[in-house]
Amino acid sequence: MVVGFTVLGRGLSFVLSLKKKCILIDCKLNSKKYYNMYSCYFLSITNDMKIKLVFLFVCLFVLSCKNTYNDIVEETISSEVLSIDSLIVGNALGMIYVDSFLLIADNRNDSLFYWVSLIEQSASQVGRVGNGPNDFLDFDNFYGVNNMYGFFSNRSRCLTDISVINNKPYFTKKVAIDSSHFRVVSTSYDSYIGIGPYSKGLFYMWNHHGDSIKRIGEQPFRDNDERRIPELARAMAYQGNIAVSPDSRYLVHAIYTSPIISFYRLSADNLEQIGYVPIAYPKYKPELGEDSYASAMNRHNKLGFMDVVATDKHIYALLSNRNTVEFGLSAFLGNTIMVYNWDGTLVRKLMCDYDLKCMCVTPDEETMYAIGLVDDYELLKINLRQK
């Protein structure tokens, strides 16, 4: 008996040769990185090892073949439309769950946020829009670590803490930022991590004094030809969202211009990639000038993850997988929620009954709240335990 194995692309193959009969077992792994061809290693064994090795290879085959993108059974989930007094959703940009309240960013009102009491079923506008010291210009993303919450505004170049006193939200502008970023999140290490139009690196990490810690990683690329495109142009083509787990152990990077998602282990001074799932890569034309930078995206590209929510155990990623040619503005919504473990393993695929724009999940992962398109945009409640 001769046993061999090889890793090719994303597949794992076992070759069993038993009395001149060859058995090839081929299986796609749920791996997170691309691999080059590894050398094939053959081993001659004695008869008393045959049963044990065959059992071992069958176990590896079963384990490696589960939980791939196409193997997960879709679960259809239904939504409950919540009627909240004084809540009229215009253009929701994001939302976060804080205790028994929701904070919803919406730039179509005199204030930047809605503060929603889920117990009283009521809403009020907070965070006045303006240029004053206590006003706000815009919103880019929420973040929450160790029960401390905040949001980032690139236009205002600052991070703002959110605190709740007597069931009311209070905002404190905390950290000024002197460079441009797409998204910024806080960590429990007194540091911040950003993604943005960087000429070098995928992530930028700095401390609470504003001192740079390091640049990490490289902008995504399909192959060596794309890798030769300047990183600044690739940064414009691969824009997305980032979120940190509430315990600050992990970070997820979900690209919305193409369905690609990456998973990282977070430490005080580094990010270590532990998962990478590229469903598709975009086509685009880099446009770099002396005073401008852009990437013209192909309208036939399928868009990626419109929103992403991190818990300590899972990532909930709202997938569009639509192009603007066929779906128009609906391409910027999605009704598919991909649920991943932090190693990048897909564990659930949820199909919602409405298109969603943004979402948040309770810490116990029993309930999701989302802004979805019914006739108009409405606040939805989704039971994540439903069967």
Side-chain angles (χ1 to χ4, degrees):
M1 176 179 178
V2 177
V3 180
F5 67 89
T6 182
V7 179
L8 177 61
R10 286 179 162 235
L12 177 63
S13 299
F14 299 105
V15 181
L16 304 182
S17 180
L18 301 169
K19 295 183 179 179
K20 298 183 180 180
K21 293 183 180 180
C22 183
I23 303 173
L24 174 64
I25 302 176
D26 194 9
C27 155
K28 288 185 177 179
L29 286 171
N30 188 29
S31 59
K32 273 67 70 176
K33 295 181 180 179
Y34 284 110
Y35 294 88
N36 295 321
M37 177 69 175
Y38 283 79
S39 60
C40 190
Y41 177 65
F42 288 93
L43 176 66
S44 294
I45 63 175
T46 59
N47 289 334
D48 60 349
M49 295 175 63
K50 289 181 182 179
I51 296 177
K52 292 182 179 179
L53 280 176
V54 170
F55 177 75
L56 172 63
F57 289 136
V58 169
C59 289
L60 288 172
F61 171 77
V62 172
L63 290 173
S64 61
C65 284
K66 70 179 182 179
N67 290 353
T68 59
Y69 178 79
N70 294 319
D71 290 338
I72 295 294
V73 176
E74 294 181 355
E75 304 173 48
T76 301
I77 55 176
S78 57
S79 308
E80 175 190 354
V81 178
L82 298 182
S83 297
I84 305 293
D85 290 341
S86 303
L87 178 63
I88 303 174
V89 180
N91 182 37
L93 303 175
M95 59 194 303
I96 191 170
Y97 179 88
V98 183
D99 297 327
S100 58
F101 297 89
L102 299 176
L103 189 61
I104 303 172
D106 190 324
N107 66 358
R108 296 256 178 100
N109 293 294
D110 294 333
S111 297
L112 191 56
F113 303 103
Y114 278 113
W115 181 245
V116 179
S117 170
L118 296 171
I119 295 175
E120 297 179 359
Q121 297 284 287
S122 62
S124 58
Q125 294 190 35
V126 295
R128 186 176 59 195
V129 175
N131 293 303
N134 298 316
D135 298 340
F136 301 94
L137 292 174
D138 70 345
F139 164 91
D140 285 286
N141 67 274
F142 287 115
Y143 54 83
V145 173
N146 294 335
N147 294 317
M148 300 180 66
Y149 307 95
F151 69 91
F152 166 66
S153 167
N154 184 54
R155 186 177 172 188
S156 300
R157 298 288 177 91
C158 76
L159 295 160
T160 301
D161 284 347
I162 303 168
S163 56
V164 180
I165 303 174
N166 296 327
N167 295 332
K168 294 182 180 180
Y170 291 86
F171 305 107
T172 305
K173 295 181 180 180
K174 183 179 180 181
V175 179
I177 299 172
D178 60 0
S179 57
S180 179
H181 306 272
F182 296 143
R183 302 288 188 269
V184 173
V185 293
S186 175
T187 79
S188 63
Y189 302 104
D190 247 354
S191 63
Y192 303 93
I193 298 172
I195 55 173
Y198 309 146
S199 59
K200 202 73 175 174
L202 176 58
F203 300 103
Y204 180 46
M205 180 182 287
W206 67 97
N207 62 27
H208 66 284
H209 297 298
D211 302 322
S212 174
I213 297 175
K214 66 190 307 184
R215 293 184 183 270
I216 303 168
E218 180 181 355
Q219 296 294 336
F221 56 90
R222 180 200 307 261
D223 49 32
N224 286 331
D225 287 338
E226 186 179 10
R227 195 176 190 181
R228 285 189 280 269
I229 296 174
E231 283 202 66
L232 182 55
R234 281 151 51 198
M236 300 304 295
Y238 288 92
Q239 296 184 44
N241 296 297
I242 53 176
V244 172
S245 62
D247 60 11
S248 199
R249 296 176 58 201
Y250 301 102
L251 178 143
V252 60
H253 178 211
I255 295 172
Y256 60 73
T257 52
S258 192
I260 299 173
I261 188 167
S262 306
F263 310 86
Y264 296 84
R265 183 176 289 109
L266 173 61
S267 62
D269 60 357
N270 198 24
L271 286 169
E272 175 194 357
Q273 188 179 87
I274 54 177
Y276 181 60
V277 182
I279 299 173
Y281 286 88
K283 296 179 179 179
Y284 60 95
K285 181 181 179 182
E287 297 178 352
L288 296 179
E290 291 184 2
D291 301 317
S292 64
Y293 47 86
S295 286
M297 307 302 292
N298 189 311
R299 294 188 62 222
H300 291 276
N301 290 340
K302 288 187 176 181
L303 298 183
F305 297 98
M306 299 295 100
D307 198 10
V308 63
V309 178
T311 72
D312 288 337
K313 294 182 178 180
H314 298 107
I315 301 95
Y316 293 79
L318 178 61
L319 178 65
S320 164
N321 211 31
R322 304 167 177 174
N323 63 54
T324 57
V325 172
E326 297 178 68
F327 294 92
L329 293 178
S330 294
F332 297 94
L333 306 173
N335 69 338
T336 303
I337 302 167
M338 311 292 276
V339 186
Y340 296 94
N341 285 338
W342 276 108
D343 64 358
T345 302
L346 180 65
V347 294
R348 298 180 74 186
K349 185 177 181 181
L350 309 177
M351 307 300 296
C352 191
D353 48 358
Y354 297 110
D355 279 347
L356 307 181
K357 188 168 187 184
C358 56
M359 59 190 185
C360 61
V361 176
T362 57
D364 58 12
E365 300 190 47
E366 290 190 358
T367 306
M368 171 181 287
Y369 295 96
I371 299 298
L373 185 59
V374 184
D375 292 323
D376 296 313
Y377 283 109
E378 303 283 358
L379 177 61
L380 306 177
K381 180 180 180 180
I382 302 169
N383 177 9
L384 294 174
R385 305 299 186 191
Q386 61 186 281
K387 297 293 184 181

